[in-house]
Amino acid sequence: MTTDTAPRESQTLSIGIDVPLDAAYAFLSDPQNFSRWAAGLGEDFHQVSSGWVALTPLGRSTIRFADLNDYGVLDHVVELPDGALVDVPMRVVPNARGSEVLLTLFCQPGMTAEQFAADAAAVQRDLQRLKQVLEAGS
């Protein structure tokens, strides 16, 4: 978690997926699957002895994922090359016979309103891709 004291602007993005909760959580809780839908994490997403890494426009970033749990928590923390930590709260919850995936995006220090809007649009594209992948049975 970050140690900032003032709340930052945030936006929670979500998408309904016509896949049962247990199947959605099983897919989402496996970090190997992130490269199939989460372009926002960067390229060359892979596991190393210390966890997971991705190449981002800023350089190599490390990603730590929440432990498996019974609550649909999929939080992850991205450590940027400069050591800054980006908290990404994420959940999957039941939505009738399907699931709802929610991801909260925080405006990062120094980020303009335009950059934050572009980041939110990229996350929404990733969530749409996730829906396509899961509903296709992949």
Side-chain angles (χ1 to χ4, degrees), residues 39-54:
L41 272 181
E43 298 176 352
D44 193 27
F45 182 72
H46 63 278
Q47 189 172 18
V48 295
S49 60
S50 60
W52 293 86
V53 296

Side-chain angles (χ1 to χ4, degrees), residues 90-138:
M90 187 173 170
R91 306 286 185 276
V92 60
V93 297
N95 180 350
R97 66 182 178 138
S99 304
E100 189 79 15
V101 175
L102 304 100
L103 186 147
T104 299
L105 182 65
F106 291 104
C107 186
Q108 298 304 307
M111 186 179 266
T112 67
E114 293 79 17
Q115 289 170 323
F116 186 54
D119 203 10
V123 168
Q124 197 62 58
R125 283 190 300 275
D126 284 350
L127 292 176
Q128 187 62 43
R129 175 69 182 141
L130 172 65
K131 177 181 178 72
Q132 292 169 345
V133 168
L134 281 174
E135 290 182 354
S138 299

Side-chain angles (χ1 to χ4, degrees), residues 46-66:
H46 63 278
Q47 189 172 18
V48 295
S49 60
S50 60
W52 293 86
V53 296
L55 294 178
T56 71
L58 300 174
R60 181 181 160 165
S61 295
T62 303
I63 303 101
R64 295 188 317 264
F65 293 93

